[in-house]
Amino acid sequence: MQEATIDTSGLRGPRTWPEEGLTRIPYWAYQDEAIYQREQQRIYRGNAWNYLCLEADLATPGDFVSTFAGETPVVVARDNDGELYAFENRCSHRGALICLENQGHAEQFTCVYHAWSYDLQGTLKGVAFEKGVGGQGGMPEGFCKEEHSPRKLRVASTCGLVFGSFSDDVPDLEDYIGEAVLARIQRILGKGEVEVLGRFTQKLPNNWKLYFENVKDSYHASLLHLFLTTFDVNRLTQKGGLIVSEDGGNHVSYSMVVPDEVHGSEYRDQGIRSENAQYRLHDTSFLEGTDEIGDGITLQILSVFPGFVLGQVWNSFVVRQVLPKGIEETELNWTYIGFKSDTPEQRKARLKQLNLVGPAGLVSMEDGCVGGFVQRGTATAGDERAIVQMGGDSTASSETRATEASVRGFWKAYRNHMGL
């Protein structure tokens, strides 16, 4: 692959990818400001689809959400024509935020600084004192408001998920996601009309790529998360598999608990920190789920490059949005979802099991720490490399989760977008 020309002024040396390819990840990829700024340009404002929000957040005309594409603030709104629109949350006049609220309902948006106003499509419609006062001042003759609107995004939605892109060249959303991964989104979100059950925002002390790698790392789950193996929620010995899109950027990891399954001694024989027999659940109904989809899958983690995650643990469903906030800081937005068609019994089980996920979730809280451990552990090791060689060097789908194929897939897509 042709090397990118990256401004390395101020860096410790030239940045070239290791000869071993996707099995070696240089730690400078998590540390350099030039790399971070190139990500904003080539990925978030480039040929990628950024997850923005749920259609459930924009149920009626006038509903809006303020969110981000990378570090770029964005407003998403449903106009009176029923269509969805997205535009940069930046006043064309002096650059202030147009919309200050996270979510709400509006007929138009007005910048608080100088009262320039915009419609729900983000088109500049009003300039305060455009004609001046008493015939003096004002904007020059022939000033065309529509030509000075903020940047607009291409918008597409699938299964109630809203994505936006600054690029006209990005493939259609369904093609970008890929047939196999899209089918697994439909598996969950095709159940019916989504209802938001709750939200959390979590700050992570690490580069965004460390968290997104972690999401794709099916190998770590039953090693790091003691709860998973102790209560048989997930073990690598269980039936499951891995789906990786052709470009590497999107993935699905899944497993199922087979009734009366007898686990081997793989964990115990290797002395792996994997379970603790002293732990018990006071309320055993906590993990009494139903196979509401009907395929036996009890755990599914799915991602779409560069920052969308859809997860299932038993009967809990959650959407995650991964947003970079600097080289060493990431914002993680959690949205807990159910369905308007839920029975009271389904809703009760879902609310109980949502304690498994989120910032303090019983199978999620460790993920909020390990990225910071890596960021701190590699602080002076920018010229060293991580070893990503479980399962060889492939990025292909597989019937085993004891592989880092989907992590390598992430870096395959990343290098392609970045030109590295």
Side-chain angles (χ1 to χ4, degrees):
M1 183 177 292
Q2 185 178 2
E3 290 186 6
T5 301
I6 298 179
D7 180 10
T8 58
S9 59
L11 304 182
R12 289 176 291 181
R15 299 312 189 192
T16 57
W17 201 268
E19 294 180 358
E20 296 90 338
L22 301 176
T23 65
R24 296 295 185 273
I25 310 304
Y27 291 125
W28 52 254
Y30 312 104
Q31 299 171 344
D32 286 343
E33 181 65 30
I35 294 292
Y36 181 79
Q37 293 303 325
R38 189 176 181 86
E39 291 168 355
Q40 298 300 313
Q41 174 193 3
R42 295 291 295 269
I43 297 176
Y44 297 103
R45 296 194 301 273
N47 291 335
W49 283 105
N50 299 278
Y51 169 71
L52 299 176
C53 64
L54 295 170
E55 282 199 56
D57 296 324
L58 306 167
T60 61
D63 289 349
F64 70 86
V65 170
S66 59
T67 181
F68 291 86
E71 284 200 333
T72 304
V74 171
V75 176
V76 191
R78 188 178 295 278
D79 199 0
N80 293 318
D81 61 4
E83 298 296 321
L84 298 177
Y85 297 88
F87 54 93
E88 187 176 7
N89 191 2
R90 174 186 55 82
C91 183
S92 303
H93 180 214
R94 300 283 290 278
L97 291 172
I98 298 170
C99 178
L100 301 178
E101 294 81 15
N102 292 331
Q103 189 172 3
H105 186 89
E107 297 298 323
Q108 65 173 16
F109 301 99
T110 302
C111 176
V112 69
Y113 198 180
H114 297 94
W116 285 32
S117 60
Y118 303 81
D119 65 16
L120 295 171
Q121 298 185 25
T123 301
L124 178 61
K125 290 296 186 180
V127 173
F129 298 113
E130 181 179 2
K131 301 301 182 182
V133 177
Q136 297 183 351
M139 300 299 290
E141 189 72 26
F143 177 77
C144 179
K145 293 188 285 293
E146 287 77 7
E147 292 178 358
H148 293 83
S149 302
R151 289 181 292 187
K152 298 184 180 183
L153 287 76
R154 180 178 167 189
V155 177
S157 61
T158 184
C159 302
L161 306 170
V162 181
F163 290 79
S165 178
F166 283 101
S167 172
D168 291 329
D169 297 325
V170 65
D172 289 343
L173 180 59
E174 287 79 6
D175 294 333
Y176 179 90
I177 295 173
E179 184 178 353
V181 177
L182 182 61
R184 292 307 186 100
I185 294 177
Q186 294 167 339
R187 171 185 169 269
I188 291 177
L189 297 181
K191 284 177 52 58
E193 190 174 354
V194 167
E195 186 170 16
V196 175
L197 303 183
R199 287 187 167 93
F200 284 97
T201 295
Q202 182 178 6
K203 298 291 186 181
L204 304 177
N206 51 263
N207 188 274
W208 69 273
K209 297 184 292 295
L210 287 169
Y211 186 82
F212 208 57
E213 275 184 314
N214 175 273
V215 168
K216 292 175 174 290
D217 181 358
S218 57
Y219 165 51
H220 87 279
S222 63
L223 300 171
L224 174 66
H225 304 299
L226 193 63
F227 189 94
L228 287 178
T229 45
T230 297
F231 297 105
D232 285 343
V233 178
N234 187 338
R235 293 171 179 250
L236 285 179
T237 52
Q238 292 172 347
K239 184 178 180 181
L242 193 68
I243 299 170
V244 185
S245 63
E246 185 176 349
D247 71 346
N250 313 322
H251 102 292
V252 183
S253 173
Y254 64 94
S255 66
M256 55 189 71
V257 176
V258 178
D260 301 321
E261 181 175 5
V262 177
H263 298 300
S265 59
E266 287 91 343
Y267 287 89
R268 185 172 60 256
D269 291 348
Q270 296 181 67
I272 296 172
R273 173 194 174 273
S274 62
E275 59 184 320
N276 193 319
Q278 72 177 351
Y279 293 137
R280 294 288 185 272
L281 287 173
H282 288 290
D283 180 5
T284 57
S285 69
F286 181 64
L287 288 180
E288 289 178 1
T290 59
D291 185 8
E292 59 182 292
I293 297 175
D295 55 11
I297 294 174
T298 54
L299 187 143
Q300 175 181 288
I301 304 297
L302 178 155
S303 69
V304 175
F305 185 91
F308 171 77
V309 185
L310 174 64
Q312 170 204 356
V313 184
W314 287 95
N315 298 106
S316 67
F317 302 118
V318 65
V319 169
R320 286 176 263 179
Q321 181 189 35
V322 183
L323 293 173
K325 294 298 179 182
I327 298 175
E328 298 185 0
E329 185 176 344
T330 299
E331 183 175 284
L332 180 59
N333 294 318
W334 299 81
T335 304
Y336 298 162
I337 61 172
F339 300 91
K340 290 189 175 180
S341 60
D342 284 348
T343 66
E345 292 76 21
Q346 284 177 320
R347 182 58 56 86
K348 183 177 181 180
R350 216 179 298 291
L351 291 173
K352 279 187 177 182
Q353 291 174 10
L354 284 172
N355 288 289
L356 294 166
V357 293
L362 293 170
V363 295
S364 297
M365 58 183 172
E366 295 95 340
D367 292 328
C369 302
V370 292
F373 295 164
V374 176
Q375 196 79 48
R376 289 156 56 191
T378 61
T380 60
D383 296 324
E384 301 296 328
R385 300 166 296 173
I387 301 169
V388 186
Q389 211 164 356
M390 284 293 294
D393 60 3
S394 171
T395 62
S397 303
S398 72
E399 295 181 357
T400 179
R401 291 169 293 129
T403 176
E404 293 168 315
S406 50
V407 178
R408 290 187 291 270
F410 165 76
W411 289 104
K412 176 183 176 181
Y414 177 86
R415 291 181 66 187
N416 183 55
H417 280 272
M418 291 285 287
L420 284 171

